[in-house]
Amino acid sequence: MFKKLRNRFLIVNLVSISIMMLVAFATIYTITYQNVQRETSMELYKVSDFYHSPYNSSKMPRGEDGGIGTGSGTGSSTGAGSDSLPSDAMGGNNGGPGGDPNSPPARSVSFMIKTDDQWKITDTHSRFDMEDTFYTEALQKVDQNKVGDSERQTGQFALDGTDWAYVVDPSGDGHMIVFIDVTAQQGILTNLIYTFAVVGLVMLIVIYFLSRYFANRSIAPVREAFEKQKQFIGDASHELKTPLAIINTNADVLLANQEDTIANQAKWLHYIKSETERMTGLTNDLLYLTQMDDSRSTMIHAKFNMSDAVESIILPMEAVIFEKNISLDYNIEPNLMVHGNSEQIKQVILILLDNAVKYSGPKGSVNVTLQRQNNDVMLAVSNTGDGIAPEHLDRIFDRFYRTDSSRARKHGGHGLGLAIARSIVDQHKGEVYARSVVGEGATFYVRLS
């Protein structure tokens, strides 16, 4: 059950984080894509404006027929005409300071194609040597159907492993198409996608193990509470099973001797009454624990005299302790004030004192000390006896836990007293714990502020 709960937690966590990562990556990619496209468009229009410049057109190489370019109407600028280009233009300067003002301002490779109305090449221009077939293939990649009569039309395509962006400028007698190399820009976007994929995968792996770790830690208290609840139900059933069995057996004996008098059957009736009282005490303790769990926010706390509370419990029990041939010593510092519920703290004192008396050895002794330690008040109740083994010290405050079931039953306990004491102290934001030396005795401490 807890494994399924953990897996559901992991799935929900991973799905939520994956969605957030996708949204973040998509946002970053969209912004980067728009920036790249904007820069590409600006570069493209800048190059296009250069080719539209009358000054640049007058400086462009001319063929024998006086037109721009060389060769036939579909020829290119790469033949004899390319030899007429200024040397700086062939070198690729971008018209900046110290460069050729007749060269395109583009930072990347660019070329231009002019066509007539029928999309037949009439002229070309490039800073680099290019084959005629290349111009033809580039022109075929242009989406001619979307080109209007007056508006510029842009687009992109891939040719021979290179990404190109183009802009078509319609004119009265044809079209001018300017192309620039945008492979680097497209590479940025591609690398960004790969980077996102790798980073996202690594992050998901790391998040999976972190989520698994924290899921196990988060579920651990739930698992512990569930196990304690199962143990509690089992222990409560066991505690109730014994008295119910005794009551049932004694009732059968009574029914088997229906003709006998009540006086003769008194022994069985006393057994039934004794076990009934035992069950009553058990159910009252269980109800008290439940009520305390439900009344944490409604419990009334106030300042009270802790010294008087301890004395009010010890003095009535002196006679009982004396009858059991147990010596009692106490040292109570006067007028120690604590904040809490005096009746519940008195119950804690009674539980610890009664527990010390029950498990004190023959002719043993019980010692109670109340004193101030720093800003807290410390109550210590110790006794002589067999003590408590170290493996039991952390569990003696659990419900129904007993180090020796047979001995505890002999003393009439059912393992809820210390659990009630701890619950009360916890509600007072205090601390209760035990220290013991096997064979010598045990001491229970309560720290309150």
Side-chain angles (χ1 to χ4, degrees):
M1 180 182 69
F2 293 102
K3 187 176 181 180
K4 291 182 178 179
L5 182 62
R6 183 199 65 187
N7 291 338
R8 289 180 181 178
F9 176 82
L10 286 176
I11 291 173
V12 172
N13 195 36
L14 289 176
V15 169
S16 301
I17 293 176
S18 298
I19 293 174
M20 290 188 291
M21 287 173 55
L22 286 175
V23 172
F25 288 169
T27 303
I28 295 173
Y29 181 82
T30 301
I31 295 173
T32 305
Y33 177 82
Q34 291 176 348
N35 290 336
V36 170
Q37 293 297 107
R38 183 165 53 251
E39 291 179 1
T40 300
S41 297
M42 291 174 61
E43 192 78 17
L44 192 59
Y45 290 141
K46 189 182 295 185
V47 176
S48 177
D49 291 340
F50 168 80
Y51 284 115
H52 275 288
S53 172
Y55 172 78
N56 182 67
S57 299
S58 65
K59 297 296 184 181
M60 292 178 72
R62 297 178 179 271
E64 296 177 355
D65 57 357
I68 300 176
T70 62
S72 62
T74 59
S76 70
S77 62
T78 59
S82 63
D83 296 334
S84 304
L85 284 173
S87 59
D88 289 339
M90 292 296 294
N93 293 330
N94 60 4
D100 185 359
N102 298 324
S103 298
R107 290 171 296 179
S108 57
V109 178
S110 64
F111 64 94
M112 179 271 293
I113 298 177
K114 278 190 175 183
T115 68
D116 56 17
D117 291 338
Q118 302 301 318
W119 291 93
K120 293 182 180 180
I121 298 176
T122 60
D123 187 26
T124 61
H125 180 255
S126 173
R127 296 183 297 166
F128 304 94
D129 293 333
M130 294 182 180
E131 299 293 336
D132 294 344
T133 55
F134 180 81
Y135 293 118
T136 304
E137 292 176 357
L139 183 60
Q140 291 175 352
K141 294 288 187 177
V142 176
D143 191 354
Q144 302 173 3
N145 296 325
K146 293 184 178 180
V147 177
D149 295 335
S150 59
E151 295 183 356
R152 285 180 168 182
Q153 177 67 36
T154 60
Q156 292 186 11
F157 63 88
L159 182 61
D160 295 338
T162 304
D163 294 312
W164 298 92
Y166 66 87
V167 58
V168 180
D169 289 323
S171 61
D173 55 351
H175 308 88
M176 175 187 287
I177 308 101
V178 177
F179 302 81
I180 64 170
D181 184 359
V182 293
T183 305
Q185 290 86 336
Q186 292 300 118
I188 292 174
L189 297 177
T190 303
N191 291 335
L192 189 61
I193 294 175
Y194 290 150
T195 302
F196 283 165
V198 174
V199 172
L201 181 61
V202 172
M203 288 182 63
L204 286 178
I205 293 174
V206 173
I207 291 171
Y208 169 78
F209 286 104
L210 287 177
S211 299
R212 185 184 179 92
Y213 171 75
F214 285 109
N216 289 332
R217 291 198 59 178
S218 300
I219 292 175
V222 180
R223 181 187 288 111
E224 182 180 357
F226 182 77
E227 294 298 330
K228 285 185 177 181
Q229 183 182 19
K230 287 177 59 178
Q231 182 181 358
F232 171 78
I233 294 173
D235 292 340
S237 300
H238 178 74
E239 290 291 334
L240 292 172
K241 181 179 179 181
T242 300
L244 285 174
I246 294 174
I247 291 173
N248 185 61
T249 302
N250 286 279
D252 289 341
V253 172
L254 292 174
L255 292 174
N257 298 278
Q258 298 182 18
E259 303 299 329
D260 207 346
T261 63
I262 293 178
N264 292 335
Q265 302 292 332
K267 178 175 66 173
W268 315 115
L269 293 173
H270 284 308
Y271 290 158
I272 292 176
K273 180 175 175 59
S274 175
E275 293 303 319
T276 302
E277 291 175 350
R278 176 179 170 81
M279 290 179 60
T280 301
L282 174 61
T283 53
N284 287 338
D285 287 343
L286 291 175
L287 289 173
Y288 183 79
L289 283 170
T290 303
Q291 290 171 357
M292 289 189 64
D293 291 339
D294 294 338
S295 62
R296 292 181 182 270
S297 59
T298 59
M299 189 169 56
I300 299 175
H301 287 181
K303 283 280 186 179
F304 69 94
N305 194 315
M306 181 72 172
S307 303
D308 292 344
V310 175
E311 288 182 353
S312 67
I313 298 299
I314 291 178
L315 295 178
M317 289 192 65
E318 280 186 314
V320 177
I321 296 173
F322 178 77
E323 287 180 359
K324 293 186 177 182
N325 199 22
I326 296 175
S327 63
L328 173 65
D329 294 320
Y330 54 89
N331 181 18
I332 301 174
E333 186 176 335
N335 298 322
L336 295 181
M337 305 296 292
V338 297
H339 186 79
N341 186 290
S342 60
E343 294 302 320
Q344 290 186 337
I345 295 300
K346 287 180 181 180
Q347 186 172 2
V348 172
I349 300 169
L350 179 61
I351 290 172
L352 295 181
L353 187 58
D354 181 66
N355 190 73
V357 172
K358 283 182 180 179
Y359 295 99
S360 180
K363 297 183 179 180
S365 62
V366 174
N367 183 272
V368 179
T369 302
L370 181 69
Q371 59 186 359
R372 180 173 297 280
Q373 287 189 357
N374 299 324
N375 295 325
D376 298 328
V377 173
M378 175 68 77
L379 171 69
V381 181
S382 60
N383 69 331
T384 58
D386 296 336
I388 303 172
E391 62 269 17
H392 298 302
L393 285 176
D394 292 334
R395 299 194 58 193
I396 56 176
F397 294 98
D398 292 345
R399 299 176 183 181
F400 294 110
Y401 186 81
R402 290 176 298 208
T403 59
D404 188 343
S405 299
S406 60
R407 187 180 177 196
R409 191 174 297 281
K410 177 182 177 181
H411 290 289
H414 39 67
L416 289 177
L418 292 178
I420 293 174
R422 183 179 65 175
S423 181
I424 293 174
V425 174
D426 288 345
Q427 290 190 13
H428 284 74
K429 301 186 184 305
E431 182 183 9
V432 58
Y433 57 94
R435 297 286 184 267
S436 178
V437 177
V438 177
E440 296 184 9
T443 304
F444 286 81
Y445 299 92
V446 176
R447 185 188 301 274
L448 297 171
S449 58

